[in-house]
Amino acid sequence: MGYELKDIKKIPIFSNLSDDEIKEIQPYVFRENIKKKKEIFSEGDPPDWFFLLLNGKVKITKLSHDGREIIIELISPPDFFGGFAVLKGFPYPANAIAMEDSEIIKISMHNLLKIIDRFPNIMYEITSNLGERIREFHDTLKNIALERVESRIAALLLKLADKTGQKADGSIMIDMRLTKQDIAEMVGTTVETTIRVMSKFKKSGFISDKDGKIIVKKIEALKAIVYP
């Protein structure tokens, strides 16, 4: 079933298309509801689909050498995932898992290439986004390898505040619910260590939380940890 025009317009890579142009691609776009914890694709799967997230939250993960899951990216709506593998034609290099009940739309590899051929600017939008993601992925791996845990967690909070933050009363609320397990997996540490560091940040007044969402209260203090 094709997707509604207004929903396709929400996706940044399609936002510059006119209503008539979006109507051209509507038949190629399909909707799916994904339950929490369901795997959308696994590392090594063929790149059959290009995915776009409308609602919910998806994590992109890899397993470390000792079998621990490491979150290398969080996908928030409206954004896409699986694009690099689809465009290059090689297997998905990581796993994609719904962290909560999510709503996605997807386009087959064959149809995505047809859309790009018709609207070349979409390719530019996708590759620009992918270039930034590759840089962030490199920074994530470097931080896990080289930085102390406090610095890694502070850097993660700063990145999420920049990406999803909502400003209010001089603070920034990270607009997604994250468990200590999620944070631990994103910085490559244990849940126990994450709890200790987050408690320290909270006691110092750097952060607080409300309704399961983290509020960054002293962004300069976190920056001082990351860039001493």
Side-chain angles (χ1 to χ4, degrees), residues 87-168:
L87 292 178
K88 291 294 185 180
F90 56 63
Y92 294 119
N95 312 293
I97 301 163
M99 299 180 74
E100 58 191 44
D101 290 350
S102 300
E103 184 180 17
I104 63 172
I105 58 179
K106 60 184 186 178
I107 305 171
S108 71
M109 179 170 65
H110 175 71
N111 285 332
L112 178 65
L113 296 177
K114 286 170 67 174
I115 291 169
I116 289 171
D117 186 58
R118 173 69 179 86
F119 304 109
N121 192 58
I122 291 175
M123 182 65 162
Y124 172 78
E125 297 290 340
I126 293 173
T127 53
S128 294
N129 184 294
L130 288 174
E132 177 64 19
R133 289 188 186 188
I134 290 170
R135 184 190 65 78
E136 289 185 2
F137 176 53
H138 179 266
D139 288 346
T140 297
L141 293 182
K142 183 178 72 173
N143 288 340
I144 289 174
L146 301 178
E147 302 293 339
R148 59 196 178 94
V149 175
E150 280 192 13
S151 178
R152 299 200 312 254
I153 292 178
L156 173 67
L157 295 177
L158 289 172
K159 183 173 80 170
L160 293 177
D162 180 62
K163 187 174 181 180
T164 73
Q166 295 185 354
K167 294 182 180 180

Side-chain angles (χ1 to χ4, degrees), residues 21-77:
E21 288 172 333
I22 285 183
K23 285 177 182 176
E24 288 187 48
I25 69 174
Q26 260 185 300
Y28 303 135
V29 177
F30 299 90
R31 171 182 180 269
E32 188 173 342
N33 290 317
I34 306 292
K35 290 293 186 182
K36 181 179 178 180
K37 296 185 179 181
K38 181 180 177 183
E39 195 166 69
I40 301 167
F41 58 74
S42 301
E43 182 174 354
D45 284 351
D48 294 331
W49 297 96
F50 177 75
F51 297 93
L52 305 110
L53 181 65
L54 280 184
N55 295 293
K57 183 171 61 176
V58 171
K59 62 181 178 180
I60 307 299
T61 72
K62 288 183 76 71
L63 292 180
S64 68
H65 65 279
D66 58 357
R68 286 184 298 115
E69 183 181 65
I70 296 175
I71 299 176
I72 58 175
E73 189 178 8
L74 281 181
I75 307 298
S76 301

